Amino acid sequence: MLANIDPLNMTTHYTAELDLENFGLTVWDLDRVFITGGLHGEKTATLRRILEILRRAYCGTVGIEYRHIQSDEQKDWIRRQVREQFVDTQPLAVETKKELLKKLIEAEQFEQFLHKKYLGQKRFSLEGCETVIPMLDQLIEGASARGVSEVYMGMAHRGRLNVLSNIVGDPETGEMAERIFTVFEGTSHPSFPADEGDVKYHQGAVSTRKTKAGKELRIQLSCNPSHLETVDPVVEGMVRARQDELRDGHNMSRQESYDQILPLLLHGDAAFAGQGVVMETLQLAGLPGYRTGGTIHIVINNQIGFTTSPGLSRSSIYSTDAAHITQTPIFHVNSDDPEAAYRVIRIALEYRQVFNEDLVIDLVGFRRLGHNEGDEPSYTQPVMYARVKAHPGTRHLYAQHLIREGVITEDELKSMTDTVVAKYEGILARAKQIAVEKPAKAKLSEPPPDEDGSNILETGVAADVLQKVAKQISLVPEGFNINPKMVGQLGRRAKMGEGEVPMDWAFGEAMAIGSLVIEGFPVRVSGQDSGRGTFSQRHACMYDTMTGDRWSPLNELKSEANPRARAYVFDSSLSEYGVLGFEYGYSVINPDQLVAWEAQFGDFSNGAQIIIDQYISSSEDKWQQRCRLVMLLPHGYEGQGPEHSSARLERYLQLCAENNLQVCYPTTPAQYFHLLRRQARQEIVRPLIVMTPKSLLRLPAATSAMSELETGGFQPVIDDSHLTDRPAVRRIVLCSGKVFYDLEAEREERKVTDVALVRLEQFYPFPAKRLAEIFATFPNATEIFWTQEEPMNMGGWTFVEPRLEAVLPKDVKLRYVGRAASASPATGSYAIHNLEQKKLIDDSLTSTARESSQAV
């Protein structure tokens, strides 16, 4: 509270709680000797000495919060570091001071150069917080010296271009600056074609830096949309994926993988306080399936949001108070003191190395310009911006400090600055030449055609492999006390494996996962209740009734072809946004691994809509960033109300274009088996959205035989195999998912022979060719009904209608059968649900064409 952490002096440095009088002391006690309890290693000291030590430790340009931590070991460690760095302070080496100044000059001149050359263009300047550049530079050097080989970074747009140029890129060669200047010139650099897909301050980069320790350190700055803090869990997922790769593929211990791979997140102050995904990401830090060995968080604190002051944008004292939840130490640093920032970076790296836990650095500065370079900030912050205007800049203050110390001279300062400016001038000249040689071109007006989606990839598995997996999930290890209710289920699993009873959905999934692992494909499944399964169906993880120990049978399967291929199923925190972001990041780094996220209920995925919209569906188009992520979304209308019926199929279909997604709704365990295997084995890398069942998990009709897993592959369309007289068919009912079983049961009950039931198992890519082939086998059909459970404005209707019209046989009419358009996905009344369901079944099987056009 008394620390001098605000370079604008907008806050008062006084708190009555710390007055001497509040402790029954006066100035007359200053020279009295007290027992210190070991403060600074001194058993006794005068009050004057005690206050001097405390002020040097806690009231300088660094404010420290650590008393909220429960661990005495961690608190004692931090106290020792504070004493070493801020009480018994040793001067920094002259070369270190010059390096800090050099990076400050590069940071400042980069911004000023762009401001002069491209006046008014958006760049989200770092001015006011330039100290973050020497901080990051020293963090990279310090991490390398401590054995880190890779750093994964995430940050928003503020200062991103500066970081790309001066941290990720090599400032000496200027490759990243050349890339940036080329985009400012209106085109993209030949080495970075992805820059055409998104604005320059959203782009990422990968580079390898040679550090002073003589080592090579790889830096990856993740791409990021405008949605602040969304990149946090994505980067954590990337880091965990790389650590798992090192652990499983290079026989590293978990600790060794932590030591090698470092996650680094840069935040904005308003976003850190305001965006809930920050808390979700912090809460992942200690969970077994998501732990990354400690993240260093740096808040670039402008003391303002877009135009909103702290008093109107948060209820906490500091923007970093959310970190108290996870007992994370917080260091508030005045950005006008680069040396203090350097010392805190050293503490952060050591803390992470010793404890493998998060640490937050709150770099308090200001924003020289408006939110973007065209904004006028004094409209809303007149007092603050009067002080900003009067502030000479950190580079000036530090340079003058070093001149007074005799570290540099005025001539040396001028020479250092002129060298940087000349470098930028040379880079700009090269960028202008590139723009002349490679002018910008518009994208083709017509996007690439959608794939047909009718091809079938063979994904069958040999019987002996299937038997191996079935045996693994059916036999309990000796000495493991299984829940009595599971005994019968394990016995049923064994019978499924022997082919004595048809397999259910969970068994088909286990066969897919196990067979992939044996073939050398790692598998990772996560979600809020994925171990057992929301509907008590999966039981991939079981617990000893006496000890509580967990047993994961699929995890024990191994591959001779790929030693790192293992199956992991993790229960996550009660999060969609953060966890889905994590799994997306994980799948980007491991594109050859099957990574699946399961929603507790399908509609809960809308809590992660930002990840779906900004990453999963569009990242390939924006950043050429691909993944195989699978989203498993329980879907189906069983009368359970608006929130447990629809996985919002229509939302995913609306996002489909340029072959960016696969959206499927399989209806049998064998189809699901082949779909998962296709996702891992197919050559093309793209996400998969799966509408998974609820009631069908145990429906006797929704089962498959073991033989169906040995040959074939996922069928985008399933023809009606029960019909014997195809010319007698007058109506084709095309549907998807659970409603098929309702239709089939009713058709059999009524002995209807002139209606064919065809299942669309894959919506996108749309299997137009296969549908046309099937339609042609019903020569006398005069109408095709699209039947769905969802309301007319939801589900698949609006997506399939124009596509079906394009493949309809001549003189055949297309009709819709389903619920009427609705604001809510489903009724909350079970009785009304049943009435609606009965009517849509009746309309599909027996209504006239005229009547069928009316929705339920």
Side-chain angles (χ1 to χ4, degrees), residues 732-787:
I732 303 169
V733 174
L734 184 62
C735 62
S736 191
K738 170 187 157 293
V739 73
F740 163 77
Y741 291 100
D742 297 333
L743 290 165
E744 186 180 48
E746 193 64 21
R747 183 179 67 168
E748 185 175 341
E749 175 73 20
R750 299 183 186 187
K751 295 182 171 50
V752 175
T753 59
D754 63 347
V755 176
L757 301 179
V758 178
R759 281 171 276 177
L760 180 63
E761 302 274 294
Q762 177 172 291
F763 283 87
Y764 190 82
F766 190 71
K769 179 182 177 182
R770 180 61 183 140
L771 283 168
E773 291 172 350
I774 292 173
F775 293 161
T777 65
F778 299 103
N780 298 317
T782 59
E783 53 190 6
I784 295 177
F785 285 9
W786 170 261
T787 296

Side-chain angles (χ1 to χ4, degrees), residues 34-46 49-50 53 83 87-88:
F34 291 85
I35 297 173
T36 66
L39 177 69
H40 194 243
E42 302 175 20
K43 294 182 179 180
T44 62
T46 64
R49 171 64 175 160
I50 291 171
I53 294 169
R83 182 174 70 187
V87 180
D88 301 331

Side-chain angles (χ1 to χ4, degrees), residues 68-116:
H68 56 285
I69 300 173
Q70 289 184 349
S71 167
D72 287 336
E73 180 186 5
Q74 292 177 14
K75 286 186 286 192
D76 288 343
W77 187 92
I78 291 172
R79 275 192 286 265
R80 289 195 299 273
Q81 295 295 316
V82 169
R83 182 174 70 187
E84 180 180 327
Q85 297 295 339
F86 304 115
V87 180
D88 301 331
T89 307
Q90 297 298 315
L92 299 184
V94 168
E95 285 307 310
T96 300
K97 294 182 178 185
K98 287 184 177 180
E99 279 295 318
L100 294 175
L101 178 61
K102 178 185 175 184
K103 299 307 289 186
L104 275 175
I105 292 171
E106 289 177 347
E108 180 189 67
Q109 290 305 313
F110 177 84
E111 300 294 354
Q112 293 186 2
F113 188 84
L114 288 178
H115 195 63
K116 293 174 184 175

Side-chain angles (χ1 to χ4, degrees), residues 586-743:
Y586 195 102
S587 64
V588 166
I589 295 300
N590 280 339
D592 297 327
Q593 180 167 342
L594 184 68
V595 180
W597 174 76
E598 182 177 55
Q600 193 178 72
F601 286 89
D603 56 298
F604 289 0
S605 65
N606 60 19
Q609 198 68 46
I610 290 173
I611 298 296
I612 296 164
D613 291 347
Q614 265 53 53
Y615 289 92
I616 294 170
S617 68
S618 61
S619 63
E620 181 175 0
D621 187 45
K622 292 192 294 187
W623 311 314
Q624 296 184 8
Q625 187 166 285
R626 300 173 181 87
C627 74
R628 291 187 194 271
L629 180 67
V630 180
M631 291 178 60
L632 305 176
L633 309 177
H635 177 82
Y637 280 55
E638 285 98 0
Q640 297 302 307
E643 274 68 63
H644 292 327
S645 297
S646 178
R648 297 289 194 174
L649 170 65
E650 65 280 357
R651 294 187 177 177
Y652 301 96
L653 296 178
Q654 188 180 44
L655 295 171
C656 291
E658 301 180 284
N659 303 306
N660 65 327
L661 296 173
Q662 302 160 103
V663 182
C664 299
Y665 195 174
T667 54
T668 71
Q671 278 282 86
Y672 182 45
F673 167 89
H674 287 296
L675 178 60
L676 291 178
R677 286 183 51 79
R678 183 186 78 171
Q679 181 65 2
R681 296 184 63 87
Q682 65 186 358
E683 183 176 344
I684 191 167
V685 176
R686 61 186 170 194
L688 169 64
I689 314 300
V690 186
M691 301 289 113
T692 59
K694 294 177 291 182
S695 61
L696 299 191
L697 292 172
R698 295 176 177 83
L699 184 71
T703 54
S704 300
M706 280 289 285
S707 59
E708 295 179 64
L709 310 187
E710 297 176 20
T711 59
F714 176 74
Q715 301 179 64
V717 185
I718 298 181
D719 195 3
D720 193 329
S721 61
H722 292 171
L723 290 172
T724 56
D725 187 3
R726 298 179 85 85
V729 170
R730 298 291 184 266
R731 176 184 301 168
I732 303 169
V733 174
L734 184 62
C735 62
S736 191
K738 170 187 157 293
V739 73
F740 163 77
Y741 291 100
D742 297 333
L743 290 165

Side-chain angles (χ1 to χ4, degrees), residues 441-670:
K441 294 181 180 180
K443 290 182 72 175
L444 296 174
S445 57
E446 290 294 327
D450 285 345
E451 294 176 1
D452 177 75
S454 298
N455 295 332
I456 296 176
L457 177 68
E458 290 289 327
T459 50
V461 176
D464 61 327
V465 175
L466 295 174
Q467 288 295 323
K468 182 177 181 179
V469 178
K471 183 178 180 180
Q472 177 63 36
I473 66 172
S474 303
L475 298 179
V476 181
E478 185 177 353
F480 189 87
N481 301 290
I482 194 75
N483 188 303
K485 294 182 179 180
M486 280 300 300
V487 174
Q489 294 191 47
L490 292 179
R492 183 171 174 78
R493 282 184 182 180
K495 291 181 179 180
M496 290 180 191
E498 294 296 329
E500 296 177 14
V501 297
M503 75 175 71
D504 60 19
W505 199 271
F507 188 87
E509 179 186 74
M511 291 296 101
I513 293 173
S515 61
L516 284 171
V517 169
I518 291 173
E519 291 172 9
F521 294 91
V523 178
R524 174 186 169 96
V525 179
S526 90
Q528 289 157 6
D529 304 279
S530 293
R532 192 202 74 172
T534 297
F535 309 100
S536 196
Q537 85 282 9
R538 181 173 290 119
H539 294 291
C541 303
M542 287 174 261
Y543 297 85
D544 190 298
T545 57
M546 302 300 292
T547 65
D549 292 340
R550 185 172 66 173
W551 170 53
S552 301
L554 289 170
N555 182 246
E556 296 178 5
L557 291 170
K558 296 181 181 179
S559 168
E560 294 181 3
N562 179 10
R564 67 177 290 260
R566 301 285 292 275
Y568 294 99
V569 180
F570 293 109
D571 288 338
S572 75
S573 61
L574 192 64
S575 156
E576 291 82 34
Y577 191 172
V579 174
L580 183 58
F582 187 101
E583 302 305 338
Y584 168 80
Y586 195 102
S587 64
V588 166
I589 295 300
N590 280 339
D592 297 327
Q593 180 167 342
L594 184 68
V595 180
W597 174 76
E598 182 177 55
Q600 193 178 72
F601 286 89
D603 56 298
F604 289 0
S605 65
N606 60 19
Q609 198 68 46
I610 290 173
I611 298 296
I612 296 164
D613 291 347
Q614 265 53 53
Y615 289 92
I616 294 170
S617 68
S618 61
S619 63
E620 181 175 0
D621 187 45
K622 292 192 294 187
W623 311 314
Q624 296 184 8
Q625 187 166 285
R626 300 173 181 87
C627 74
R628 291 187 194 271
L629 180 67
V630 180
M631 291 178 60
L632 305 176
L633 309 177
H635 177 82
Y637 280 55
E638 285 98 0
Q640 297 302 307
E643 274 68 63
H644 292 327
S645 297
S646 178
R648 297 289 194 174
L649 170 65
E650 65 280 357
R651 294 187 177 177
Y652 301 96
L653 296 178
Q654 188 180 44
L655 295 171
C656 291
E658 301 180 284
N659 303 306
N660 65 327
L661 296 173
Q662 302 160 103
V663 182
C664 299
Y665 195 174
T667 54
T668 71

Side-chain angles (χ1 to χ4, degrees), residues 786-833:
W786 170 261
T787 296
Q788 68 179 35
E789 297 182 295
E790 304 91 345
M792 191 175 190
N793 58 320
M794 302 177 193
W797 169 242
T798 56
F799 180 83
V800 302
E801 181 186 18
R803 290 165 174 80
L804 289 176
E805 291 283 2
V807 296
L808 282 180
K810 186 179 179 181
D811 299 325
V812 174
K813 301 294 183 183
L814 176 64
R815 307 288 182 178
Y816 166 83
V817 177
R819 290 173 167 83
S822 172
S824 173
T827 177
S829 166
Y830 187 69
I832 294 174
H833 162 79

